[in-house]
C-alpha cells in the first residue's frame, strides 16, 4: 500500500406562565398597602425571578464561541440524541509528529486551521435518534456487523475500500429500518486531520495539497505508519458510546 493521499475537503409555555403569574385579579387595585391579599390571589412576580432561568424548557442554548465557531447540523431538541457511526483511530506518537508537520505547513495557507482532537473514519452521517430508539438501534447494528473482519486504513483509504462499502451497506440497512438518512453515495473514506470555520478549499487545493503530500511521502516509514487496524465500530449517541468488535 502506498502512502495515503491527502484530501482537502420557541416554546411560549414558560412565557404564558410568567404572564399569568404577573397578572393581578380584578379588585386587587385600591387595597391599602400592607393589607393581606385575598385568598388565592396571585401577586406580581419580580422580573429578577422571571429571568432567573432563561430557556429551561427549550434545552441548552448553543454558543458557537464555546466550540471554535462550529454550529450544530440540526438544532437541539429535548429527547433527541445526535448519533454517528464510525471506526475509531488511535493516533500514535509518530502519527502526531507527522500531523504537526502537516498542520504547520498548511497554516501558512490557512492560519485558522485547528488540529482534530480525535480521529475516526465515518461510516454514517450524523442522524437524530429518540432516546427510546438507542438500544434497539445499537442492537441492530451489532447484528449487522458481527461477521465483518478487520482491515487497514490510511489518511484516505487506499486498500479495503470495497470492504468498507460493504460495511456501510449494513449500516445503511439499519438506518433505513429506523427511517434515518443513509450514508453518502460513492463515499471517500478518510480520517480528518484538521478543521477550520468557513470554506478554505480554494486556499488548500493545488499547490498546498501537493506540498502536504510531499511531506507525507518523505516522512520516514510513512507507508507503515499510516496503516492501522480497524478493530471495532463505534456508535456515539449523545454522551453514550457503544462498541462493536470486528473479527
Amino acid at each position: 500500500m502506498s502512502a495515503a493521499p491527502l484530501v482537502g475537503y420557541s416554546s411560549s409555555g414558560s412565557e404564558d406562565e410568567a404572564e399569568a403569574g404577573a397578572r393581578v385579579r380584578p379588585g386587587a387595585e385600591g387595597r391599602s398597602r400592607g393589607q393581606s391579599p385575598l385568598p388565592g390571589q396571585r401577586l406580581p412576580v419580580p422580573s429578577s425571578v422571571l429571568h432567573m432561568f432563561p430557556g429551561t424548557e427549550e434545552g441548552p442554548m448553543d454558543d458557537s464561541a464555546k466550540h471554535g465557531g462550529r454550529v450544530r447540523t440540526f438544532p437541539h431538541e429535548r429527547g433527541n440524541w445526535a448519533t454517528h457511526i464510525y471506526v475509531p483511530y488511535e493516533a500514535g506518537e509518530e502519527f502526531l509528529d507527522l500531523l504537526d508537520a502537516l498542520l504547520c505547513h498548511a497554516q501558512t495557507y490557512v492560519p485558522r486551521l485547528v488540529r482534530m482532537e480525535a480521529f475516526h473514519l465515518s461510516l454514517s452521517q450524523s442522524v437524530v435518534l429518540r432516546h427510546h430508539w438507542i438500544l434497539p438501534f445499537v442492537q441492530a447494528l451489532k447484528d449487522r456487523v458481527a461477521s465483518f473482519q478487520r482491515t487497514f486504513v490510511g489518511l484516505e483509504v487506499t486498500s479495503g475500500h470495497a470492504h468498507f462499502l460493504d460495511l456501510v451497506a449494513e449500516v445503511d440497512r439499519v438506518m433505513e429500518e429506523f427511517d434515518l438518512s443513509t450514508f453518502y453515495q460513492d463515499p471517500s473514506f478518510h480520517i480528518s486531520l484538521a478543521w477550520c470555520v468557513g470554506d478554505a478549499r480554494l486556499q488548500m487545493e493545488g499547490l498546498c495539497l501537493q506540498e502536504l503530500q510531499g511531506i507525507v511521502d518523505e516522512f520516514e516509514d510513512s507507508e507503515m505508519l499510516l496503516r492501522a487496524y480497524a478493530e471495532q465500530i463505534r456508535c456515539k449517541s449523545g454522551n453514550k458510546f457503544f462498541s462493536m468488535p470486528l473479527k
Side-chain angles (χ1 to χ4, degrees):
M1 172 181 127
S2 60
L6 284 161
V7 287
Y9 355 112
S10 95
S11 170
S12 60
S14 57
E15 293 175 0
D16 293 340
E17 291 175 5
E19 290 173 2
R23 293 193 189 104
V24 179
R25 291 187 177 184
E29 295 181 4
R31 294 182 62 82
S32 60
R33 183 175 299 179
Q35 202 167 354
S36 300
L38 293 173
Q41 177 178 319
R42 292 188 177 186
L43 295 178
V45 179
S47 60
S48 59
V49 175
L50 290 177
H51 297 90
M52 189 176 293
F53 307 105
T56 53
E57 289 198 0
E58 298 178 358
M61 300 295 290
D62 289 330
D63 185 353
S64 61
K66 295 180 180 178
H67 307 285
R70 289 174 290 183
V71 296
R72 289 179 179 270
T73 305
F74 33 77
H76 170 83
E77 291 184 25
R78 181 172 297 179
N80 284 355
W81 293 63
T83 303
H84 178 220
I85 316 301
Y86 60 96
V87 174
Y89 175 72
E90 300 297 332
E93 184 176 349
E94 291 181 325
F95 177 88
L96 296 178
D97 288 342
L98 172 59
L99 178 53
D100 286 341
L102 291 170
L103 186 60
C104 183
H105 189 83
Q107 285 173 335
T108 63
Y109 288 86
V110 185
R112 64 183 184 275
L113 277 173
V114 179
R115 192 174 86 172
M116 299 294 292
E117 297 176 359
F119 307 96
H120 65 267
L121 187 148
S122 292
L123 298 177
S124 79
Q125 299 189 58
S126 290
V127 296
V128 173
L129 280 180
R130 300 297 294 177
H131 184 266
H132 60 277
W133 288 357
I134 295 176
L135 291 182
F137 179 85
V138 171
Q139 185 57 54
L141 273 177
K142 289 180 178 179
D143 294 342
R144 287 287 181 182
V145 305
S147 62
F148 276 83
Q149 306 290 327
R150 68 184 64 178
T151 189
F152 293 98
V153 300
L155 297 185
E156 184 179 31
V157 171
T158 55
S159 65
H161 189 274
H163 187 89
F164 275 103
L165 286 176
D166 291 340
L167 192 53
V168 166
E170 298 302 327
V171 173
D172 280 350
R173 289 188 178 97
V174 176
M175 293 293 184
E176 290 169 347
E177 288 178 23
F178 288 80
D179 198 25
L180 298 170
S181 299
T182 56
F183 204 37
Y184 307 105
Q185 294 294 320
D186 302 320
S188 170
F189 299 106
H190 63 274
I191 296 175
S192 297
L193 303 178
W195 69 277
C196 69
V197 175
D199 189 345
R201 283 176 295 180
L202 288 179
Q203 297 100 304
M204 294 293 297
E205 289 174 350
L207 182 60
C208 178
L209 280 180
Q210 292 175 20
E211 293 171 349
L212 293 176
Q213 186 65 57
I215 293 175
V216 173
D217 294 340
E218 295 172 6
F219 199 84
E220 185 178 2
D221 296 328
S222 62
E223 184 173 342
M224 295 301 299
L225 171 63
L226 297 178
R227 293 184 178 186
Y229 276 116
E231 299 179 334
Q232 61 176 302
I233 291 174
R234 193 169 292 172
C235 174
K236 180 181 184 294
S237 188
N239 60 359
K240 300 179 183 293
F241 291 85
F242 305 88
S243 293
M244 287 140 274
L246 299 175
K247 290 184 178 180

